[in-house]
Amino acid sequence: TAIKNLTKSSAPPSAEAIINFGWKKVLSLIWLLGAIGLVFYSIVANILLSQKISQESPTRDLKLRNLQKKCNELMGSSKKIKLVVSQKIQSPMLLGLFKPRIILPLHLIKILSRDQLKHIILHELAHIKRYDVATAYVCTLIQSLHWFNPFVWFAFFKMRGDREAACDEIVMNGIGAEQSES
C-alpha cells in the first residue's frame, strides 16, 4: 500500500493543472519583483542623493540666511530648516522628511535676483507646509505596488504637476498679501 501511495503521489500533474497553476505564480512573481525593484530603486536613489548632499554644510551667506528667515516668517514656519547651497545639483529641491533641507544650486545663487531666490525659498517652504515630502513617499510606495498600471503612473505624473502648481499658488498668494501690506 505504501508503494501504491508513493506511485500515485509522484504521478505527474496534468498539463492543464501545470498551466493553470504556473501562470498565476509567474505573474505574481513578476509583480512582486517589480514592486520590490521599484521600492529598492527609490530607497537607493534617496540614500545616494542624501549622501551627495550630506557633505554640504548650511550656507554661511548672511544675505541668504536673512532671506530665508524672512521667508520663514512670511510662510508662518517656525520649523528649523537648513538652507544648503550646492554645486552638486542642477535645480532647487527639498530633501528630508524629519530634518528638511532646502538645497539651492550654486549656479542659480550667482545669476538670480534676491526676489527670484525668495520665490524659490518660499516655494520649497510651501512643500514643507503641505507635507509634500511625506506624501511623495506614500505615493512612491503606492506606485511601486501598482507599477504595472499605466493609469497609476499617469495619475502620479499629473499629481506631481498639481503639487508644484499648488506650491506656486501659495507663494503667489503670499507675495500678493505681502505687497498689499507694504
Side-chain angles (χ1 to χ4, degrees):
T1 333
I3 294 177
K4 276 187 176 180
N5 287 340
L6 183 61
T7 309
K8 284 183 181 179
S9 65
S10 64
S14 67
E16 185 178 314
I18 291 172
I19 292 170
N20 286 339
F21 179 74
W23 71 269
K24 289 178 184 175
K25 235 181 181 176
V26 168
L27 288 178
S28 296
L29 184 61
I30 290 171
W31 169 81
L32 183 62
L33 290 174
I36 290 171
L38 279 174
V39 168
F40 180 74
Y41 172 79
S42 298
I43 290 169
V44 169
N46 274 307
I47 289 170
L48 291 176
L49 181 60
S50 291
Q51 286 177 343
K52 187 179 191 180
I53 301 301
S54 69
Q55 298 164 359
E56 306 281 348
S57 56
T59 186
R60 294 184 180 171
D61 183 333
L62 287 177
K63 289 181 183 178
L64 272 178
R65 289 171 62 181
N66 287 335
L67 180 61
Q68 180 195 10
K69 185 177 179 182
K70 184 176 180 178
C71 290
N72 282 351
E73 290 169 3
L74 189 62
M75 290 295 284
S77 174
S78 60
K79 202 171 195 180
K80 188 169 183 160
I81 300 151
K82 292 181 183 178
L83 180 64
V84 177
V85 177
S86 176
Q87 58 185 346
K88 297 177 181 177
I89 61 164
Q90 296 302 311
S91 63
M93 68 174 61
L94 180 63
L95 186 64
L97 182 60
F98 301 110
K99 295 180 182 177
R101 292 172 283 172
I102 296 174
I103 318 295
L104 299 176
L106 180 62
H107 71 277
L108 287 184
I109 299 297
K110 293 178 180 179
I111 62 171
L112 295 180
S113 71
R114 184 178 189 279
D115 277 346
Q116 290 170 319
L117 289 172
K118 177 180 165 185
H119 293 155
I120 290 171
I121 294 169
L122 287 170
H123 177 94
E124 298 306 327
L125 289 171
H127 281 299
I128 293 170
K129 191 173 193 166
R130 291 173 28 88
Y131 302 100
D132 284 343
V133 174
T135 303
Y137 286 139
V138 171
C139 289
T140 298
L141 181 61
I142 292 169
Q143 194 169 13
S144 296
L145 295 174
H146 294 277
W147 64 266
F148 55 88
N149 187 338
F151 295 111
V152 171
W153 285 84
F154 180 72
F156 284 119
F157 170 76
K158 296 297 277 181
M159 186 176 151
R160 281 188 290 274
D162 290 345
R163 180 175 57 211
E164 294 302 319
C167 288
D168 288 341
E169 184 176 343
I170 289 170
V171 170
M172 296 314 290
N173 289 339
I175 289 171
E178 179 192 29
Q179 287 175 349
S180 66
E181 289 173 8
S182 310

